[in-house]
Amino acid sequence: IDLSDKRSKLQTFVESELKPLRDNLCGILAEVSNELKEYEKFERIVDEIKKSGPNFKAYPSIGEGYSVAGELDTLNTFYLNVGMGFHVELDTETALSVTGKRKDILRRKIVILKEKCEQVEADINDSLGLLHEIEKNI
């Protein structure tokens, strides 16, 4: 058995397959977590608006670090991101209902992605441990 060849193949597999897979999964996990935070933020904003009553005053961001004073006199509809870049105009209660359902989906995705990230990380660690053992025997 050529241990040097086996070590080289395992090292290549770790670098070209496992580490990029881990990075990709962790990137997707971060995106899904951010999306969940956005839905939670939306719920907080709607709650603030409901509590403040008519003529809600806010300073929404218009991008690049700039905000503009604004006043909202009614809370009838929202444009809500329903996934894959699609936005739908919904009444308040429907928007909150969709938000709750979307958050549930995202939470399930987060659990699955965390498990996969942890498994790939464990595979990387196991492979690196095996590489270390091979190197001791070369």
Side-chain angles (χ1 to χ4, degrees), residues 39 42-43 80 94-104:
Y39 281 110
F42 171 75
E43 288 179 326
L80 186 67
T94 304
L96 290 172
S97 174
V98 169
T99 297
K101 292 174 185 172
R102 188 79 181 133
K103 283 173 33 185
D104 290 342

Side-chain angles (χ1 to χ4, degrees), residues 8 12 20 25 29 40-42 52 55 60 88-89 108:
S8 178
T12 300
L25 286 170
L29 175 60
E40 290 169 343
K41 180 179 175 183
F42 171 75
S52 72
N55 301 322
V88 178
E89 184 177 7
R108 287 193 299 271

Side-chain angles (χ1 to χ4, degrees), residues 29-134:
L29 175 60
E31 289 174 13
V32 172
S33 296
N34 286 336
E35 186 177 350
L36 177 62
K37 287 177 189 173
E38 287 297 316
Y39 281 110
E40 290 169 343
K41 180 179 175 183
F42 171 75
E43 288 179 326
R44 285 191 304 274
I45 290 170
V46 170
D47 192 44
E48 273 183 49
I49 293 170
K50 282 182 173 182
K51 286 179 182 174
S52 72
N55 301 322
F56 175 75
K57 292 183 174 130
Y59 294 90
S61 171
I62 57 172
E64 299 297 322
Y66 295 100
S67 297
V68 63
E71 187 173 308
L72 184 63
D73 56 355
T74 62
L75 183 64
N76 295 330
T77 61
F78 289 95
Y79 287 94
L80 186 67
N81 178 354
V82 293
M84 297 185 65
F86 291 100
H87 292 73
V88 178
E89 184 177 7
L90 300 168
D91 65 80
T92 305
E93 294 310 313
T94 304
L96 290 172
S97 174
V98 169
T99 297
K101 292 174 185 172
R102 188 79 181 133
K103 283 173 33 185
D104 290 342
I105 291 168
L106 293 172
R107 284 187 185 113
R108 287 193 299 271
K109 281 185 177 180
I110 287 170
V111 168
I112 292 167
L113 286 166
K114 279 183 179 178
E115 288 172 357
K116 289 185 182 219
C117 283
E118 290 168 1
Q119 181 59 53
V120 172
E121 190 65 39
D123 291 345
I124 290 170
N125 290 334
D126 290 346
S127 297
L128 293 176
L130 183 57
L131 277 171
H132 180 70
E133 289 298 315
I134 291 171

Side-chain angles (χ1 to χ4, degrees), residues 1-13 131 134 138:
I1 299 174
D2 184 11
L3 288 179
S4 181
D5 186 47
K6 298 252 186 230
R7 178 183 61 80
S8 178
K9 286 181 180 179
L10 181 57
Q11 192 166 17
T12 300
F13 177 72
L131 277 171
I134 291 171
I138 290 180

